[in-house]
Amino acid sequence: MDRQILVTRSSMPDFEEYCNEIKKLWDSHWLTNMGVEHKELQNELEAYLGCPHVVLYTNGHLALENVISAMRFSRSGEVITTPFTFASTTHAIVRSGLTPVFCDVREDDYTMDADKIEALITEKTVAIVPVHVYGNLCDVERIAAIAARYHLKVIYDAAHAFAVKYKGVSSANFGDASMFSFHATKVFNTIEGGAVCFHDDELVEPLNDMKNFGIRGPERCVYVGGNAKMNEFQAAMGICNLRHLDEEIEKRKKIVERYRAHLENIKGIKLSAVQKDVESNYAYFPVVFDGFPADRNQIFDALASQGIMARKYFYPVTNSFECYAGLPTADPGKTPVAVYMADRVLTLPLYADLSMEDVDKICRIILSHR
Ligand SMILES: *Cc1c(COP(=O)(O)O)cnc(C)c1O
């Protein structure tokens, strides 16, 4: 088989640009623990996202676990979330000792269905953890109104939504906090990395302490923290990648437009809704096969046989994971839309340097099954 096309390919700066950025680390011998690169990336992200506080982490998952602990929920609390997500979202809730209660998703953009939240609220509910799936934004206004009415915290899993804006405001600014992932496969990467973004000044110290063993100053340890610090090489990669991010998103946009031109208005193929007032980051291109002559698995196999690795993302839903078999709230039967989507969705290859010829080829293979 010749060349493979993978579902994604990490954005990287020129080799020289990165070398130039890390050169100072050879002068200082300061490799981690909030050095100059860390500080610079943090400042640049606060400016880029228009958000007063950004705390950097070694990955998105630990960022989410840390922000959940920083909220200091009672240990038996319930958290309303969705199963149409990456394992990380549900695991972060469960690893924090909280119980995930699964809300179904919307059919048009796969985000939490705000109409179904209130029925799940009990006296044990402490928070809502919705996911901006594929970069589609949740109904942030309705979720804010529900959270205010019931005094719940809202923590967004915004791993897919870096650089997305709603009515001109970046996705970092909704809820009590938002978690971003800067993993190699995301639109913006720091190799591995993540951040928590928020407005509340009171969260700055706990989040900074918790990622460094709970240590505050040389002679005080104030939390039973872990180690989740972003190192200088990660931050340097972020500084370089951020310089080129807008161009990268522009290229992704052209690829998505090409996909849409081929696949829009094809019987049995459903594309994600284009959200009103949302500026997208074109992170993923999900396609739902429903009433198409070939099903999702057949299309996946047909593409794979030609070296094209699409992904069944997200499949399976997290409330059907075997590790949650003993959890009473993990019942996929209660989230039929999420299950329906997970059984039919395929995310097609998408990255800034994907060629238009490859997009055409991928669509040709799909459409040959009509
Ligand atoms: C990538 C991802 C995460 C985890 O981020 P890491 O940086 O890989 O730890 C969490 N949630 C979602 C939805 C993701 O896609």
Side-chain angles (χ1 to χ4, degrees):
M1 190 188 302
D2 43 31
R3 194 177 56 96
Q4 277 206 336
I5 303 173
L6 300 182
V7 73
T8 187
R9 190 164 181 266
S10 300
S11 293
M12 291 170 84
D14 283 342
F15 183 62
E16 290 70 30
E17 184 180 350
Y18 187 63
C19 288
N20 195 45
E21 194 60 46
I22 60 175
K23 210 162 196 293
K24 50 190 114 158
L25 305 178
W26 264 260
D27 300 330
S28 67
H29 284 240
W30 186 299
L31 305 183
T32 186
N33 286 55
M34 291 61 84
V36 288
E37 298 294 287
H38 182 285
K39 190 68 209 156
E40 182 174 338
L41 180 61
Q42 182 190 331
N43 290 341
E44 287 183 8
L45 290 176
E46 285 168 358
Y48 186 84
L49 298 170
C51 186
H53 301 300
V54 172
V55 175
L56 300 176
Y57 285 87
T58 194
N59 60 54
H61 178 79
L62 288 173
L64 188 55
E65 285 198 6
N66 274 249
V67 66
I68 291 171
S69 358
M71 300 281 178
R72 298 160 176 271
F73 298 125
S74 64
R75 276 258 145 192
S76 59
E78 292 177 354
V79 175
I80 297 173
T81 185
T82 92
F84 193 71
T85 184
F86 185 52
S88 172
T89 320
T90 310
H91 288 353
I93 294 165
V94 175
R95 286 166 59 86
S96 304
L98 301 165
T99 304
V101 172
F102 296 95
C103 182
D104 212 351
V105 298
R106 295 161 55 102
E107 251 182 75
D108 56 351
D109 62 16
Y110 328 102
T111 64
M112 185 178 277
D113 188 339
D115 285 336
K116 298 181 179 158
I117 296 174
E118 284 190 81
L120 300 172
I121 296 175
T122 70
E123 69 280 5
K124 288 195 192 146
T125 309
V126 292
I128 309 175
V129 176
V131 184
H132 296 311
V133 188
Y134 305 130
N136 289 339
L137 291 191
C138 299
D139 190 339
V140 291
E141 287 161 359
R142 283 196 54 207
I143 291 172
I146 293 167
R149 194 171 321 132
Y150 295 91
H151 308 290
L152 304 175
K153 297 284 186 191
V154 179
I155 302 167
Y156 281 105
D157 179 335
H160 290 184
F162 188 81
V164 177
K165 288 182 176 172
Y166 175 62
K167 294 182 178 167
V169 176
S170 99
S171 56
N173 296 288
F174 301 110
D176 294 280
S178 296
M179 175 278 282
F180 291 103
S181 165
F182 305 148
H183 183 257
T185 55
K186 304 298 205 273
V187 169
F188 167 70
N189 86 77
T190 61
I191 311 172
E192 292 251 16
V196 177
C197 300
F198 52 96
H199 285 224
D200 182 2
D201 298 339
E202 300 289 315
L203 277 177
V204 177
E205 264 196 329
L207 285 174
N208 278 309
D209 295 343
M210 274 176 190
K211 71 178 181 184
N212 189 27
F213 307 101
I215 292 170
R216 182 176 303 170
E219 298 184 3
R220 287 183 70 198
C221 192
V222 297
Y223 297 109
V224 187
N227 182 1
K229 303 184 298 290
M230 176 181 280
N231 71 47
E232 292 290 275
F233 289 79
Q234 292 172 291
M237 187 63 124
I239 291 166
C240 294
N241 278 336
L242 194 59
R243 289 184 193 126
H244 308 286
L245 183 65
D246 292 345
E247 290 155 51
E248 297 269 306
I249 291 175
E250 202 47 45
K251 287 191 200 166
R252 285 173 172 273
K253 178 173 185 219
K254 298 225 157 62
I255 293 161
V256 166
E257 283 168 355
R258 185 85 153 208
Y259 268 130
R260 283 194 172 270
H262 283 299
L263 300 177
E264 218 150 31
N265 305 317
I266 302 288
K267 193 171 175 298
I269 292 184
K270 270 201 269 182
L271 306 182
S272 178
V274 175
Q275 295 185 304
K276 197 170 165 289
D277 298 323
V278 172
E279 234 173 273
S280 178
N281 62 358
Y282 307 95
Y284 298 87
F285 194 74
V287 175
V288 173
F289 295 93
D290 189 4
F292 193 67
D295 68 20
R296 187 272 308 272
N297 292 346
Q298 289 167 325
I299 297 292
F300 176 87
D301 293 342
L303 291 169
S305 73
Q306 309 237 12
I308 298 162
M309 307 323 258
R311 267 191 74 187
K312 299 173 190 178
Y313 193 61
F314 300 107
Y315 170 85
V317 283
T318 67
N319 52 357
S320 71
F321 283 3
E322 59 189 82
C323 59
Y324 293 130
L327 184 72
T329 58
D331 175 4
K334 293 201 169 140
T335 56
V337 178
V339 171
Y340 187 89
M341 292 298 160
D343 287 343
R344 288 166 180 77
V345 72
L346 198 60
T347 52
L348 300 182
L350 175 56
Y351 46 85
D353 293 327
L354 182 66
S355 74
M356 293 301 174
E357 290 70 35
D358 284 340
V359 175
D360 295 346
K361 179 179 167 189
I362 292 163
C363 295
R364 215 162 37 239
I365 295 168
I366 295 171
L367 295 175
S368 73
H369 287 78
R370 271 187 297 179

